[in-house]
Amino acid sequence: MKWRLFLLALFIVSLALTVGCSNKQEHISIQKREGKIYKFEAYEESIEIEKTIKTKEILKNINWENSKMEKDRPKADYIFYFNDEKNEDKIVVYYVWAISGENILKLTKGKHSKYVQLNKADSEIVLNLIQ
């Protein structure tokens, strides 16, 4: 009787640990420019999964253009990447410039080889995630 109770308790604890560890959490690392330096903010807690999914869809489905960024370009307002992609050896770093007064974002990725200017709706979604 004691063994059955012990095995049942062990099974319940194992099940609880398995369910608790299987929840997908999204983590993002963001650097925000403040003056001449970047302030690093690593989000270790889970962020809203819907914001992340929408942002990832936008970044995946937009038409990136080949870009040759000039060397004297201003520093990006934000730099971010998704930490969950780091484990897959395909991490992509995104650089974001906010165009003041227009609520529009310009982005480059990687080594600034790809460029895009987002529309207002997509800019709002991305900005909502990284701010």
Side-chain angles (χ1 to χ4, degrees):
M1 182 69 176
K2 289 182 180 180
W3 281 104
R4 287 184 184 173
L5 188 58
F6 174 74
L7 290 174
L8 180 63
L10 183 63
F11 174 74
I12 292 173
V13 169
S14 299
L15 184 63
L17 287 174
T18 303
V19 171
C21 294
S22 66
N23 290 340
K24 180 164 174 64
Q25 294 184 351
E26 296 286 341
H27 300 245
I28 186 171
S29 292
I30 301 171
Q31 295 181 27
K32 181 178 180 181
R33 184 171 56 91
E34 293 182 358
K36 293 183 179 182
I37 61 169
Y38 286 96
K39 179 183 174 190
F40 183 74
E41 300 176 22
Y43 289 85
E44 296 302 327
E45 72 274 2
S46 63
I47 56 177
E48 291 183 40
I49 191 86
E50 288 133 17
K51 287 183 183 180
T52 306
I53 290 171
K54 287 180 185 178
T55 301
K56 284 184 175 182
E57 285 177 7
I58 290 169
L59 296 173
K60 180 181 177 184
N61 295 327
I62 55 178
N63 293 324
W64 291 93
E65 299 174 16
N66 290 331
S67 170
K68 290 185 178 178
M69 295 286 289
E70 56 279 353
K71 293 185 180 193
D72 60 340
R73 71 184 175 277
K75 288 189 173 189
D77 297 313
Y78 299 92
I79 301 171
F80 73 97
Y81 60 87
F82 297 99
N83 294 4
D84 60 324
E85 293 176 355
K86 190 187 300 186
N87 298 334
E88 300 171 15
D89 293 332
K90 62 176 185 177
I91 190 166
V92 178
V93 179
Y94 297 95
Y95 301 84
V96 181
W97 288 265
I99 300 174
S100 58
E102 296 184 34
N103 297 330
I104 292 177
L105 298 179
K106 291 183 179 182
L107 285 85
T108 62
K109 68 178 183 176
K111 297 185 182 210
H112 305 292
S113 60
K114 299 288 184 176
Y115 165 83
V116 72
Q117 181 172 320
L118 298 178
N119 60 37
K120 286 185 180 184
D122 290 344
S123 293
E124 183 178 319
I125 292 169
V126 173
L127 197 56
N128 193 13
L129 176 73
I130 62 177
Q131 278 188 331

